[in-house]
mmCIF file of all heavy atoms in Angstrom:
data_model
loop_
_atom_site.group_PDB
_atom_site.id
_atom_site.type_symbol
_atom_site.label_atom_id
_atom_site.label_comp_id
_atom_site.label_asym_id
_atom_site.label_seq_id
_atom_site.Cartn_x
_atom_site.Cartn_y
_atom_site.Cartn_z
ATOM 1 N N GLU A 1 0.865 -4.591 28.271
ATOM 2 C CA GLU A 1 0.051 -5.614 28.961
ATOM 3 C C GLU A 1 -0.970 -6.279 28.105
ATOM 4 O O GLU A 1 -1.231 -7.475 28.218
ATOM 5 C CB GLU A 1 -0.574 -4.971 30.190
ATOM 6 C CG GLU A 1 0.320 -4.433 31.285
ATOM 7 C CD GLU A 1 1.192 -5.535 31.924
ATOM 8 O OE1 GLU A 1 0.810 -6.704 31.823
ATOM 9 O OE2 GLU A 1 2.255 -5.154 32.456
ATOM 10 N N ILE A 2 -1.525 -5.563 27.112
ATOM 11 C CA ILE A 2 -2.452 -6.189 26.177
ATOM 12 C C ILE A 2 -1.676 -7.191 25.390
ATOM 13 O O ILE A 2 -2.207 -8.332 25.172
ATOM 14 C CB ILE A 2 -3.063 -5.087 25.247
ATOM 15 C CG1 ILE A 2 -4.001 -4.198 26.065
ATOM 16 C CG2 ILE A 2 -3.766 -5.727 24.058
ATOM 17 C CD1 ILE A 2 -4.508 -3.022 25.291
ATOM 18 N N GLY A 3 -0.483 -6.885 24.906
ATOM 19 C CA GLY A 3 0.298 -7.892 24.201
ATOM 20 C C GLY A 3 0.677 -9.080 25.019
ATOM 21 O O GLY A 3 0.631 -10.222 24.528
ATOM 22 N N LEU A 4 1.015 -8.873 26.300
ATOM 23 C CA LEU A 4 1.387 -9.950 27.163
ATOM 24 C C LEU A 4 0.193 -10.894 27.430
ATOM 25 O O LEU A 4 0.330 -12.140 27.454
ATOM 26 C CB LEU A 4 1.938 -9.398 28.490
ATOM 27 C CG LEU A 4 3.394 -8.852 28.410
ATOM 28 C CD1 LEU A 4 3.721 -8.082 29.716
ATOM 29 C CD2 LEU A 4 4.412 -9.925 28.199
ATOM 30 N N ASN A 5 -1.013 -10.251 27.658
ATOM 31 C CA ASN A 5 -2.181 -11.097 27.900
ATOM 32 C C ASN A 5 -2.519 -11.925 26.669
ATOM 33 O O ASN A 5 -2.967 -13.062 26.805
ATOM 34 C CB ASN A 5 -3.374 -10.191 28.260
ATOM 35 C CG ASN A 5 -3.224 -9.672 29.714
ATOM 36 O OD1 ASN A 5 -2.565 -10.218 30.532
ATOM 37 N ND2 ASN A 5 -3.953 -8.578 30.035
ATOM 38 N N TRP A 6 -2.377 -11.330 25.529
ATOM 39 C CA TRP A 6 -2.662 -12.083 24.278
ATOM 40 C C TRP A 6 -1.649 -13.197 24.122
ATOM 41 O O TRP A 6 -1.971 -14.355 23.706
ATOM 42 C CB TRP A 6 -2.638 -11.142 23.057
ATOM 43 C CG TRP A 6 -3.117 -11.762 21.802
ATOM 44 C CD1 TRP A 6 -4.105 -12.731 21.713
ATOM 45 C CD2 TRP A 6 -2.677 -11.508 20.493
ATOM 46 N NE1 TRP A 6 -4.337 -13.062 20.355
ATOM 47 C CE2 TRP A 6 -3.461 -12.357 19.601
ATOM 48 C CE3 TRP A 6 -1.709 -10.699 19.959
ATOM 49 C CZ2 TRP A 6 -3.266 -12.323 18.222
ATOM 50 C CZ3 TRP A 6 -1.567 -10.659 18.576
ATOM 51 C CH2 TRP A 6 -2.317 -11.521 17.708
ATOM 52 N N THR A 7 -0.363 -12.961 24.444
ATOM 53 C CA THR A 7 0.648 -13.993 24.390
ATOM 54 C C THR A 7 0.242 -15.182 25.258
ATOM 55 O O THR A 7 0.350 -16.363 24.845
ATOM 56 C CB THR A 7 2.042 -13.435 24.812
ATOM 57 O OG1 THR A 7 2.443 -12.396 23.852
ATOM 58 C CG2 THR A 7 3.087 -14.519 24.793
ATOM 59 N N GLY A 8 -0.083 -14.890 26.532
ATOM 60 C CA GLY A 8 -0.519 -15.999 27.407
ATOM 61 C C GLY A 8 -1.704 -16.709 26.904
ATOM 62 O O GLY A 8 -1.792 -17.948 27.007
ATOM 63 N N TYR A 9 -2.665 -16.004 26.357
ATOM 64 C CA TYR A 9 -3.891 -16.616 25.844
ATOM 65 C C TYR A 9 -3.546 -17.550 24.686
ATOM 66 O O TYR A 9 -4.129 -18.658 24.579
ATOM 67 C CB TYR A 9 -4.839 -15.426 25.326
ATOM 68 C CG TYR A 9 -6.068 -15.860 24.577
ATOM 69 C CD1 TYR A 9 -7.269 -16.131 25.269
ATOM 70 C CD2 TYR A 9 -6.092 -15.916 23.195
ATOM 71 C CE1 TYR A 9 -8.467 -16.465 24.595
ATOM 72 C CE2 TYR A 9 -7.209 -16.258 22.501
ATOM 73 C CZ TYR A 9 -8.372 -16.494 23.192
ATOM 74 O OH TYR A 9 -9.543 -16.823 22.549
ATOM 75 N N ILE A 10 -2.636 -17.130 23.828
ATOM 76 C CA ILE A 10 -2.306 -18.002 22.646
ATOM 77 C C ILE A 10 -1.608 -19.261 23.150
ATOM 78 O O ILE A 10 -1.981 -20.357 22.712
ATOM 79 C CB ILE A 10 -1.362 -17.218 21.704
ATOM 80 C CG1 ILE A 10 -2.125 -16.084 20.971
ATOM 81 C CG2 ILE A 10 -0.689 -18.163 20.681
ATOM 82 C CD1 ILE A 10 -1.210 -15.105 20.232
ATOM 83 N N ILE A 11 -0.644 -19.125 24.066
ATOM 84 C CA ILE A 11 0.067 -20.291 24.541
ATOM 85 C C ILE A 11 -0.876 -21.279 25.221
ATOM 86 O O ILE A 11 -0.815 -22.485 25.046
ATOM 87 C CB ILE A 11 1.194 -19.841 25.541
ATOM 88 C CG1 ILE A 11 2.224 -19.055 24.815
ATOM 89 C CG2 ILE A 11 1.806 -21.086 26.265
ATOM 90 C CD1 ILE A 11 3.268 -18.395 25.738
ATOM 91 N N ASP A 12 -1.832 -20.795 26.004
ATOM 92 C CA ASP A 12 -2.670 -21.622 26.839
ATOM 93 C C ASP A 12 -3.958 -22.069 26.117
ATOM 94 O O ASP A 12 -4.433 -23.203 26.326
ATOM 95 C CB ASP A 12 -3.063 -20.905 28.104
ATOM 96 C CG ASP A 12 -3.792 -21.804 29.097
ATOM 97 O OD1 ASP A 12 -3.401 -22.948 29.272
ATOM 98 O OD2 ASP A 12 -4.836 -21.277 29.664
ATOM 99 N N HIS A 13 -4.542 -21.232 25.254
ATOM 100 C CA HIS A 13 -5.862 -21.479 24.747
ATOM 101 C C HIS A 13 -5.937 -21.606 23.214
ATOM 102 O O HIS A 13 -6.817 -22.299 22.724
ATOM 103 C CB HIS A 13 -6.816 -20.335 25.223
ATOM 104 C CG HIS A 13 -8.222 -20.573 24.813
ATOM 105 N ND1 HIS A 13 -9.064 -21.561 25.349
ATOM 106 C CD2 HIS A 13 -9.031 -19.944 23.845
ATOM 107 C CE1 HIS A 13 -10.255 -21.508 24.770
ATOM 108 N NE2 HIS A 13 -10.272 -20.548 23.901
ATOM 109 N N ALA A 14 -5.097 -20.937 22.537
ATOM 110 C CA ALA A 14 -5.189 -20.924 21.081
ATOM 111 C C ALA A 14 -3.779 -21.170 20.446
ATOM 112 O O ALA A 14 -3.306 -20.233 19.715
ATOM 113 C CB ALA A 14 -5.779 -19.577 20.569
ATOM 114 N N PRO A 15 -3.178 -22.273 20.680
ATOM 115 C CA PRO A 15 -1.773 -22.461 20.263
ATOM 116 C C PRO A 15 -1.575 -22.383 18.774
ATOM 117 O O PRO A 15 -2.301 -22.961 17.973
ATOM 118 C CB PRO A 15 -1.453 -23.814 20.763
ATOM 119 C CG PRO A 15 -2.723 -24.556 20.968
ATOM 120 C CD PRO A 15 -3.716 -23.412 21.336
ATOM 121 N N ALA A 16 -0.543 -21.613 18.398
ATOM 122 C CA ALA A 16 -0.184 -21.371 16.965
ATOM 123 C C ALA A 16 1.145 -20.608 16.992
ATOM 124 O O ALA A 16 1.537 -20.089 18.022
ATOM 125 C CB ALA A 16 -1.260 -20.582 16.250
ATOM 126 N N PRO A 17 1.859 -20.511 15.852
ATOM 127 C CA PRO A 17 3.057 -19.702 15.822
ATOM 128 C C PRO A 17 2.794 -18.265 16.098
ATOM 129 O O PRO A 17 1.905 -17.661 15.485
ATOM 130 C CB PRO A 17 3.563 -19.951 14.379
ATOM 131 C CG PRO A 17 2.900 -21.196 13.932
ATOM 132 C CD PRO A 17 1.612 -21.202 14.604
ATOM 133 N N LEU A 18 3.614 -17.652 17.011
ATOM 134 C CA LEU A 18 3.490 -16.279 17.384
ATOM 135 C C LEU A 18 4.826 -15.579 17.238
ATOM 136 O O LEU A 18 5.836 -16.093 17.605
ATOM 137 C CB LEU A 18 3.031 -16.100 18.866
ATOM 138 C CG LEU A 18 3.223 -14.767 19.533
ATOM 139 C CD1 LEU A 18 2.288 -13.746 18.990
ATOM 140 C CD2 LEU A 18 3.053 -14.912 21.061
ATOM 141 N N LEU A 19 4.835 -14.397 16.620
ATOM 142 C CA LEU A 19 6.007 -13.540 16.501
ATOM 143 C C LEU A 19 5.782 -12.259 17.266
ATOM 144 O O LEU A 19 4.754 -11.590 17.030
ATOM 145 C CB LEU A 19 6.277 -13.239 15.019
ATOM 146 C CG LEU A 19 7.419 -12.233 14.744
ATOM 147 C CD1 LEU A 19 8.784 -12.820 15.150
ATOM 148 C CD2 LEU A 19 7.466 -11.812 13.256
ATOM 149 N N SER A 20 6.689 -11.945 18.143
ATOM 150 C CA SER A 20 6.618 -10.716 18.928
ATOM 151 C C SER A 20 7.842 -9.887 18.656
ATOM 152 O O SER A 20 8.965 -10.326 18.847
ATOM 153 C CB SER A 20 6.531 -11.069 20.464
ATOM 154 O OG SER A 20 6.428 -9.925 21.221
ATOM 155 N N VAL A 21 7.630 -8.648 18.125
ATOM 156 C CA VAL A 21 8.779 -7.876 17.588
ATOM 157 C C VAL A 21 8.886 -6.614 18.397
ATOM 158 O O VAL A 21 7.965 -5.815 18.561
ATOM 159 C CB VAL A 21 8.545 -7.505 16.138
ATOM 160 C CG1 VAL A 21 9.766 -6.826 15.568
ATOM 161 C CG2 VAL A 21 8.247 -8.788 15.269
ATOM 162 N N GLN A 22 10.102 -6.373 18.963
ATOM 163 C CA GLN A 22 10.521 -5.175 19.605
ATOM 164 C C GLN A 22 11.366 -4.338 18.683
ATOM 165 O O GLN A 22 11.832 -4.874 17.637
ATOM 166 C CB GLN A 22 11.320 -5.476 20.893
ATOM 167 C CG GLN A 22 10.550 -6.209 21.970
ATOM 168 C CD GLN A 22 9.466 -5.365 22.618
ATOM 169 O OE1 GLN A 22 9.731 -4.180 22.910
ATOM 170 N NE2 GLN A 22 8.332 -5.909 22.848
ATOM 171 N N PRO A 23 11.594 -3.101 18.892
ATOM 172 C CA PRO A 23 12.323 -2.242 17.951
ATOM 173 C C PRO A 23 13.770 -2.769 17.710
ATOM 174 O O PRO A 23 14.246 -2.678 16.574
ATOM 175 C CB PRO A 23 12.390 -0.842 18.661
ATOM 176 C CG PRO A 23 11.134 -0.851 19.482
ATOM 177 C CD PRO A 23 10.945 -2.244 19.952
ATOM 178 N N THR A 24 14.438 -3.295 18.729
ATOM 179 C CA THR A 24 15.835 -3.742 18.514
ATOM 180 C C THR A 24 15.962 -5.058 19.288
ATOM 181 O O THR A 24 15.163 -5.459 20.123
ATOM 182 C CB THR A 24 16.848 -2.733 19.067
ATOM 183 O OG1 THR A 24 16.728 -2.684 20.505
ATOM 184 C CG2 THR A 24 16.649 -1.372 18.471
ATOM 185 N N LEU A 25 17.035 -5.792 18.945
ATOM 186 C CA LEU A 25 17.380 -7.059 19.650
ATOM 187 C C LEU A 25 17.611 -6.811 21.069
ATOM 188 O O LEU A 25 17.366 -7.630 21.960
ATOM 189 C CB LEU A 25 18.497 -7.805 18.967
ATOM 190 C CG LEU A 25 18.167 -8.361 17.572
ATOM 191 C CD1 LEU A 25 19.451 -8.899 16.906
ATOM 192 C CD2 LEU A 25 17.095 -9.453 17.661
ATOM 193 N N GLU A 26 18.276 -5.667 21.426
ATOM 194 C CA GLU A 26 18.576 -5.348 22.822
ATOM 195 C C GLU A 26 17.303 -5.134 23.584
ATOM 196 O O GLU A 26 17.155 -5.592 24.742
ATOM 197 C CB GLU A 26 19.458 -4.129 22.865
ATOM 198 C CG GLU A 26 20.866 -4.264 22.246
ATOM 199 C CD GLU A 26 20.920 -4.287 20.803
ATOM 200 O OE1 GLU A 26 19.909 -3.903 20.154
ATOM 201 O OE2 GLU A 26 21.979 -4.593 20.224
ATOM 202 N N MET A 27 16.311 -4.421 23.010
ATOM 203 C CA MET A 27 15.033 -4.203 23.660
ATOM 204 C C MET A 27 14.277 -5.537 23.788
ATOM 205 O O MET A 27 13.579 -5.787 24.734
ATOM 206 C CB MET A 27 14.201 -3.167 22.907
ATOM 207 C CG MET A 27 14.822 -1.775 23.008
ATOM 208 S SD MET A 27 13.902 -0.528 22.079
ATOM 209 C CE MET A 27 12.428 -0.419 23.029
ATOM 210 N N ARG A 28 14.486 -6.430 22.771
ATOM 211 C CA ARG A 28 13.853 -7.742 22.894
ATOM 212 C C ARG A 28 14.347 -8.490 24.118
ATOM 213 O O ARG A 28 13.550 -9.096 24.831
ATOM 214 C CB ARG A 28 14.211 -8.493 21.586
ATOM 215 C CG ARG A 28 13.599 -9.931 21.437
ATOM 216 C CD ARG A 28 14.455 -11.033 22.100
ATOM 217 N NE ARG A 28 15.878 -11.038 21.805
ATOM 218 C CZ ARG A 28 16.477 -11.699 20.820
ATOM 219 N NH1 ARG A 28 15.722 -12.379 19.952
ATOM 220 N NH2 ARG A 28 17.764 -11.642 20.679
ATOM 221 N N ASP A 29 15.691 -8.450 24.337
ATOM 222 C CA ASP A 29 16.223 -9.175 25.462
ATOM 223 C C ASP A 29 15.669 -8.638 26.765
ATOM 224 O O ASP A 29 15.357 -9.388 27.694
ATOM 225 C CB ASP A 29 17.749 -9.029 25.463
ATOM 226 C CG ASP A 29 18.420 -9.797 24.298
ATOM 227 O OD1 ASP A 29 17.716 -10.618 23.691
ATOM 228 O OD2 ASP A 29 19.600 -9.542 24.029
ATOM 229 N N ARG A 30 15.541 -7.318 26.884
ATOM 230 C CA ARG A 30 15.011 -6.702 28.124
ATOM 231 C C ARG A 30 13.529 -7.088 28.319
ATOM 232 O O ARG A 30 13.113 -7.436 29.412
ATOM 233 C CB ARG A 30 15.184 -5.247 28.172
ATOM 234 C CG ARG A 30 16.548 -4.709 28.351
ATOM 235 C CD ARG A 30 16.635 -3.267 28.872
ATOM 236 N NE ARG A 30 15.959 -2.408 28.002
ATOM 237 C CZ ARG A 30 16.511 -1.728 26.950
ATOM 238 N NH1 ARG A 30 17.803 -1.947 26.714
ATOM 239 N NH2 ARG A 30 15.787 -0.904 26.216
ATOM 240 N N TYR A 31 12.811 -7.096 27.221
ATOM 241 C CA TYR A 31 11.348 -7.393 27.223
ATOM 242 C C TYR A 31 11.180 -8.826 27.721
ATOM 243 O O TYR A 31 10.329 -9.120 28.549
ATOM 244 C CB TYR A 31 10.763 -7.195 25.839
ATOM 245 C CG TYR A 31 9.361 -7.649 25.666
ATOM 246 C CD1 TYR A 31 8.317 -6.932 26.288
ATOM 247 C CD2 TYR A 31 9.031 -8.731 24.884
ATOM 248 C CE1 TYR A 31 6.975 -7.311 26.091
ATOM 249 C CE2 TYR A 31 7.768 -9.126 24.711
ATOM 250 C CZ TYR A 31 6.696 -8.424 25.316
ATOM 251 O OH TYR A 31 5.383 -8.832 25.108
ATOM 252 N N VAL A 32 11.947 -9.812 27.163
ATOM 253 C CA VAL A 32 11.738 -11.192 27.565
ATOM 254 C C VAL A 32 12.166 -11.394 29.028
ATOM 255 O O VAL A 32 11.471 -12.066 29.746
ATOM 256 C CB VAL A 32 12.623 -12.061 26.590
ATOM 257 C CG1 VAL A 32 12.626 -13.537 27.137
ATOM 258 C CG2 VAL A 32 12.063 -12.102 25.229
ATOM 259 N N LEU A 33 13.256 -10.737 29.404
ATOM 260 C CA LEU A 33 13.730 -10.895 30.731
ATOM 261 C C LEU A 33 12.816 -10.272 31.833
ATOM 262 O O LEU A 33 12.555 -10.879 32.879
ATOM 263 C CB LEU A 33 15.152 -10.298 30.916
ATOM 264 C CG LEU A 33 15.875 -10.409 32.254
ATOM 265 C CD1 LEU A 33 16.078 -11.876 32.666
ATOM 266 C CD2 LEU A 33 17.150 -9.621 32.287
ATOM 267 N N GLN A 34 12.362 -9.019 31.531
ATOM 268 C CA GLN A 34 11.589 -8.323 32.559
ATOM 269 C C GLN A 34 10.131 -8.520 32.465
ATOM 270 O O GLN A 34 9.403 -8.286 33.454
ATOM 271 C CB GLN A 34 11.942 -6.813 32.400
ATOM 272 C CG GLN A 34 13.378 -6.454 32.637
ATOM 273 C CD GLN A 34 13.691 -4.994 32.361
ATOM 274 O OE1 GLN A 34 12.858 -4.206 31.956
ATOM 275 N NE2 GLN A 34 14.949 -4.585 32.578
ATOM 276 N N ARG A 35 9.572 -8.850 31.292
ATOM 277 C CA ARG A 35 8.116 -8.942 31.169
ATOM 278 C C ARG A 35 7.632 -10.372 30.859
ATOM 279 O O ARG A 35 6.703 -10.854 31.507
ATOM 280 C CB ARG A 35 7.680 -7.963 30.059
ATOM 281 C CG ARG A 35 8.168 -6.534 30.173
ATOM 282 C CD ARG A 35 7.787 -5.949 31.542
ATOM 283 N NE ARG A 35 6.359 -5.774 31.709
ATOM 284 C CZ ARG A 35 5.684 -4.717 31.253
ATOM 285 N NH1 ARG A 35 6.298 -3.729 30.676
ATOM 286 N NH2 ARG A 35 4.348 -4.611 31.488
ATOM 287 N N VAL A 36 8.216 -10.987 29.834
ATOM 288 C CA VAL A 36 7.702 -12.309 29.383
ATOM 289 C C VAL A 36 8.004 -13.378 30.406
ATOM 290 O O VAL A 36 7.091 -14.144 30.882
ATOM 291 C CB VAL A 36 8.258 -12.691 28.044
ATOM 292 C CG1 VAL A 36 7.731 -14.073 27.598
ATOM 293 C CG2 VAL A 36 7.842 -11.661 26.943
ATOM 294 N N ASN A 37 9.261 -13.537 30.768
ATOM 295 C CA ASN A 37 9.649 -14.607 31.695
ATOM 296 C C ASN A 37 8.931 -14.555 33.005
ATOM 297 O O ASN A 37 8.422 -15.560 33.528
ATOM 298 C CB ASN A 37 11.162 -14.666 31.944
ATOM 299 C CG ASN A 37 11.918 -15.197 30.713
ATOM 300 O OD1 ASN A 37 11.330 -15.783 29.793
ATOM 301 N ND2 ASN A 37 13.223 -14.988 30.684
ATOM 302 N N PRO A 38 8.831 -13.374 33.672
ATOM 303 C CA PRO A 38 8.038 -13.326 34.951
ATOM 304 C C PRO A 38 6.572 -13.747 34.773
ATOM 305 O O PRO A 38 6.051 -14.400 35.622
ATOM 306 C CB PRO A 38 8.130 -11.858 35.363
ATOM 307 C CG PRO A 38 9.427 -11.385 34.701
ATOM 308 C CD PRO A 38 9.504 -12.104 33.470
ATOM 309 N N MET A 39 5.967 -13.397 33.652
ATOM 310 C CA MET A 39 4.601 -13.827 33.388
ATOM 311 C C MET A 39 4.531 -15.345 33.250
ATOM 312 O O MET A 39 3.639 -16.036 33.843
ATOM 313 C CB MET A 39 4.029 -13.172 32.134
ATOM 314 C CG MET A 39 2.621 -13.597 31.822
ATOM 315 S SD MET A 39 1.936 -12.942 30.228
ATOM 316 C CE MET A 39 2.884 -13.942 29.040
ATOM 317 N N LEU A 40 5.433 -15.910 32.443
ATOM 318 C CA LEU A 40 5.379 -17.350 32.252
ATOM 319 C C LEU A 40 5.646 -18.128 33.570
ATOM 320 O O LEU A 40 5.024 -19.153 33.811
ATOM 321 C CB LEU A 40 6.449 -17.769 31.248
ATOM 322 C CG LEU A 40 6.308 -17.183 29.809
ATOM 323 C CD1 LEU A 40 7.451 -17.657 28.897
ATOM 324 C CD2 LEU A 40 4.911 -17.586 29.208
ATOM 325 N N GLU A 41 6.522 -17.634 34.371
ATOM 326 C CA GLU A 41 6.837 -18.287 35.669
ATOM 327 C C GLU A 41 5.677 -18.138 36.668
ATOM 328 O O GLU A 41 5.443 -19.078 37.418
ATOM 329 C CB GLU A 41 8.119 -17.715 36.279
ATOM 330 C CG GLU A 41 9.405 -18.015 35.402
ATOM 331 C CD GLU A 41 10.532 -17.180 35.852
ATOM 332 O OE1 GLU A 41 10.448 -16.481 36.908
ATOM 333 O OE2 GLU A 41 11.601 -17.220 35.127
ATOM 334 N N ALA A 42 4.974 -17.036 36.677
ATOM 335 C CA ALA A 42 3.984 -16.743 37.651
ATOM 336 C C ALA A 42 2.628 -17.472 37.370
ATOM 337 O O ALA A 42 1.847 -17.677 38.316
ATOM 338 C CB ALA A 42 3.731 -15.243 37.800
ATOM 339 N N CYS A 43 2.349 -17.738 36.114
ATOM 340 C CA CYS A 43 1.096 -18.346 35.698
ATOM 341 C C CYS A 43 1.242 -19.857 35.582
ATOM 342 O O CYS A 43 1.952 -20.333 34.626
ATOM 343 C CB CYS A 43 0.571 -17.738 34.418
ATOM 344 S SG CYS A 43 0.348 -15.969 34.475
ATOM 345 N N ASP A 44 0.655 -20.659 36.404
ATOM 346 C CA ASP A 44 0.831 -22.087 36.395
ATOM 347 C C ASP A 44 0.524 -22.706 35.028
ATOM 348 O O ASP A 44 1.225 -23.576 34.527
ATOM 349 C CB ASP A 44 0.010 -22.753 37.497
ATOM 350 C CG ASP A 44 0.547 -22.461 38.892
ATOM 351 O OD1 ASP A 44 1.716 -22.080 39.018
ATOM 352 O OD2 ASP A 44 -0.288 -22.626 39.859
#
């Protein structure tokens, strides 16, 4: 959640290139689907 809040903060308030790394590409896909996308959709 700390990482997700920082991601939202960067996109909205401090725009710059951001790299978010999960252990594997498979875990990356789950992370984006289950955590990142719901946050982006829920926050106007």
Side-chain angles (χ1 to χ4, degrees):
E1 296 298 338
I2 290 172
L4 287 168
N5 285 339
W6 190 34
T7 298
Y9 174 89
I10 291 168
I11 294 172
D12 187 44
H13 183 71
L18 163 68
L19 173 66
S20 181
V21 186
Q22 295 289 317
T24 66
L25 291 174
E26 293 77 11
M27 293 178 70
R28 182 274 312 268
D29 291 346
R30 289 202 303 271
Y31 174 71
V32 172
L33 180 64
Q34 297 175 359
R35 309 303 296 273
V36 177
N37 286 347
M39 177 184 74
L40 297 179
E41 293 167 8
C43 302
D44 291 339

